[in-house]
Amino acid sequence: MNDIKERLHALPPPGSLDAILIGCVEMGASRIHLQTDTALKIRVHGRNYTVPGLRWTNREVSDALAKMYKSSTGPSRLSQMEAIDTSYVIWPDRSKPRYGFRVNAVATTIGANDGIGIVLRPLPEKPTPLEEQYVEPRLAEALDGETGGYLICGVTGSGKTTLMGGVTRKRLEDPNCHCNIIQGAAPLELFYDLIEQNNASIQQTEIPRQLKTFPDFIRAAVREEPTDIEIGECRDAETMEATIQAIISGHRTTTSVHTHDPASTVRRVVSLCPPSDRDSYAIALIDNLKLIVNQRLLRSTDGKRTAIRSFLPFNRKIREALLDAPQARWPNMVRGFVAEYGQTFEQSIKDVHAQGRISDAVADCAMKELD
């Protein structure tokens, strides 16, 4: 902790944006917060740190936003009640590491004054391999399918993108996987140009910079003879409808949903189905669903964070039982199926604790939060 504080105080002034961001990444920051008339704040392995001497004026924050957004129109967009969600890459020397960031900027209020708030989330230079994410063998096996729907879920900051990136990396590197992946995200967070692509390919599109919406992206993707379609996130009925169409048309389709556990995931995806055809779309989804996995992060014994997961691979017995029951019963039924055929969060906590990756106190606290 003291080492991080010392390194924070050694950061350059606000005008040296790239040097500041690189310094924060090298300290292990998962979140960097710049705000008008406010000290720089970062989050490292679940703990917050502040640099009181590094305060940002409104002009300095505006200049930083213009540089990251690659346009001076950023502040005016914020003043029109629009949020900016984009990516920023620092790579001045191709022989050295590349630093990528997801950037979200909004207009803010500081005391009685208006200002700008920018949150950056550092992204790995390469997607993290599944073996470094301690992915369970049963889950790895369930992720190996070639068709159907795969839902990788969790709250913001739970590592959904990291897990999805690991899966994509594995498929690209596998010489026996002849896949053509079409991916859309808002914004793109992980890049694969530094990954060896043996007999596979990937094409990435940023929403809304290169295509306006996820449904537009999915409609374009299905015309490009993909084996895999990856949708960054299902947020609305229109996107869910397009995602289900991709699933039932025979593509391996992966997306994420913001939910807490597999039971709430089923409830959420049904609610996102278009109201006029909710029953038929929900049935089509369940009939072609291969996997739901929900992930959370806990503080690990090495001072970082590690994942716990609850997941359910879908088999014919599960699908038939759900399709024979009223939709209102699906969440409770899925909860029971997770315990019988998948893995609960309780089991994951016990396994991670037994492996020595989390302490007694963290395990006890996590168990209590599940009650």
Side-chain angles (χ1 to χ4, degrees):
M1 184 183 299
N2 290 333
D3 177 60
I4 292 177
K5 289 182 177 179
E6 290 174 4
R7 294 170 69 181
L8 282 170
H9 284 286
L11 290 174
S16 307
L17 177 66
D18 288 358
I20 291 172
L21 296 180
I22 291 172
C24 292
V25 171
E26 292 179 345
M27 282 180 258
S30 61
R31 183 180 191 270
I32 304 167
H33 187 198
L34 317 177
Q35 186 173 221
T36 301
D37 296 328
T38 305
L40 173 73
K41 298 180 184 294
I42 71 170
R43 187 171 181 83
V44 181
H45 305 314
R47 296 184 181 275
N48 293 333
Y49 299 88
T50 303
V51 190
L54 196 54
R55 300 180 71 86
W56 298 70
T57 66
N58 200 59
R59 177 58 182 271
E60 289 167 339
V61 178
S62 294
D63 289 346
L65 176 59
K67 183 174 184 177
M68 290 184 281
Y69 190 52
K70 302 180 183 65
S71 171
S72 60
T73 63
S76 63
R77 277 194 59 185
L78 300 187
S79 67
Q80 296 170 16
M81 296 179 287
E82 295 182 40
I84 291 176
D85 196 12
T86 188
S87 57
Y88 181 58
V89 176
I90 303 171
W91 201 14
D93 186 338
R94 293 303 189 265
S95 65
K96 295 181 179 180
R98 177 174 65 191
Y99 300 87
F101 303 85
R102 178 170 182 169
V103 182
N104 182 263
V106 295
T108 61
T109 299
I110 303 94
N113 301 315
D114 291 335
I116 295 172
I118 306 174
V119 172
L120 298 97
R121 294 168 59 189
L123 306 170
E125 185 178 24
K126 296 180 181 180
T128 306
L130 291 181
E131 55 268 25
E132 294 181 18
Q133 299 185 49
Y134 299 99
V135 170
E136 299 85 345
R138 282 198 301 148
L139 177 56
E141 182 181 357
L143 286 163
D144 265 347
E146 294 299 323
T147 61
Y150 298 78
L151 307 181
I152 298 179
C153 309
V155 300
T156 301
S158 60
K160 300 185 300 298
T161 300
T162 301
L163 181 55
M164 291 176 71
V167 174
T168 302
R169 175 174 178 170
K170 180 177 183 295
R171 290 178 67 76
L172 290 173
E173 291 180 327
D174 182 356
N176 297 315
C177 184
H178 292 254
C179 62
N180 297 311
I181 302 171
I182 307 293
Q183 183 190 85
L188 293 171
E189 299 183 82
L190 300 175
F191 302 100
Y192 300 89
D193 55 309
L194 302 181
I195 299 299
E196 184 176 1
Q197 300 174 23
N198 293 294
N199 294 312
S201 68
I202 185 167
Q203 175 177 296
Q204 296 180 277
T205 297
E206 184 164 282
I207 314 298
R209 188 170 66 86
Q210 293 167 319
L211 282 173
K212 289 183 179 180
T213 68
F214 279 112
D216 289 336
F217 158 74
I218 297 169
R219 283 190 287 271
V222 296
R223 294 193 292 267
E224 297 176 4
E225 199 178 346
T227 58
D228 302 36
I229 298 177
E230 297 182 358
I231 300 104
E233 183 182 345
C234 267
R235 303 176 181 174
D236 52 49
E238 188 180 20
T239 303
M240 179 57 70
E241 178 181 6
T243 298
I244 295 172
Q245 291 288 358
I247 293 172
I248 64 179
S249 61
H251 302 94
R252 175 190 163 97
T253 305
T254 306
T255 189
S256 68
V257 185
H258 280 75
T259 55
H260 290 281
D261 56 31
S264 63
T265 298
V266 169
R267 184 182 298 109
R268 176 65 174 157
V269 297
V270 169
S271 73
L272 283 175
C273 290
S276 58
D277 298 299
R278 180 161 293 160
D279 287 351
S280 59
Y281 274 105
I283 290 170
L285 176 63
I286 293 298
D287 205 26
N288 292 274
L289 195 56
K290 293 295 182 69
L291 175 71
I292 295 176
V293 53
N294 280 76
Q295 180 167 290
R296 304 178 189 180
L297 296 178
L298 298 179
R299 189 164 184 81
S300 52
T301 50
D302 61 3
K304 300 179 181 180
R305 292 188 295 174
T306 194
I308 58 170
R309 301 183 183 94
S310 178
F311 59 84
L312 176 63
F314 279 67
N315 56 35
R316 180 176 296 180
K317 183 176 180 179
I318 292 173
R319 294 191 194 96
E320 290 178 351
L322 290 170
L323 295 175
D324 287 341
Q327 290 179 16
R329 291 185 53 205
W330 287 2
N332 283 336
M333 292 176 68
V334 164
R335 189 171 289 109
F337 289 139
V338 168
E340 184 176 358
Y341 297 102
Q343 175 175 277
T344 64
F345 276 122
E346 289 88 349
Q347 184 59 57
S348 182
I349 292 168
K350 291 177 182 178
D351 290 345
V352 171
H353 179 245
Q355 295 165 16
R357 286 159 50 199
I358 58 175
S359 67
D360 294 347
V362 169
D364 289 343
C365 183
M367 283 294 194
K368 290 177 182 177
E369 288 182 356
L370 295 176
D371 291 339

